């Protein structure tokens, strides 16, 4: 295994919903939210294509408390963190898998986007 590997994510996007906060049984604060990043390009035929990618973000402790209190749906934010993939078995017995961003820094870049 390479000793100098890096797992770092930097995203700038819009909050899909107000962050949902909760506490673990041990009393640790956590929050999760969706973040949309957008890109647009022009195809060879001149037609514009817009694409939105949705990211699942998780924050812990003081960063979770900050997110729950100050972030709003539609707000432009910057998120830095690392990718984490989890697997589990659903109640129906299916193998499930998700990749999420574990945030180490969240910076508001603007107010709520006008609808």
């Amino acid at each position: 295994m390479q000793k100098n590997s890096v797992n770092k994510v930097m995203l700038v996007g819009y909050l899909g919903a107000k962050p949902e906060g909760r506490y673990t049984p041990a009393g640790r604060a956590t929050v999760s939210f969706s973040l949309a990043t957008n890109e647009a390009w022009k195809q060879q035929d001149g037609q514009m294509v817009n694409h939105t990618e949705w990211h699942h973000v998780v924050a812990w402790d003081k960063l979770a408390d900050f997110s729950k209190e100050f972030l709003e749906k539609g707000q432009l934010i910057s998120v830095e963190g690392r990718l984490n993939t989890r697997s589990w078995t659903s109640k129906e017995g299916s193998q499930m898998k998700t990749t999420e961003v574990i945030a180490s820094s969240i910076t508001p870049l603007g107010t709520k986007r006008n609808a």
Side-chain angles (χ1 to χ4, degrees), residues 26-65:
R28 192 172 177 203
T30 185
V31 71
S32 61
F33 56 87
S34 58
L35 185 72
T37 55
N38 305 297
E39 62 180 321
W41 64 90
K42 189 181 282 191
Q43 294 181 327
Q44 286 183 333
D45 63 3
Q47 182 177 353
M48 286 299 295
V49 176
N50 292 306
H51 175 73
T52 300
E53 189 74 33
W54 288 94
H55 312 274
H56 186 242
V57 180
V58 176
W60 292 91
D61 304 319
K62 290 182 180 182
L63 195 54
D65 292 334

Side-chain angles (χ1 to χ4, degrees), residues 15 18-19 62-73 75 77 106 108 110-112:
L15 280 167
K18 173 87 174 148
K62 290 182 180 182
L63 195 54
D65 292 334
F66 167 82
S67 299
K68 193 170 91 172
E69 185 173 347
F70 294 106
L71 300 182
E72 296 291 335
K73 178 180 178 177
Q75 189 172 14
I77 64 169
I106 299 174
T111 57
K112 183 177 170 183

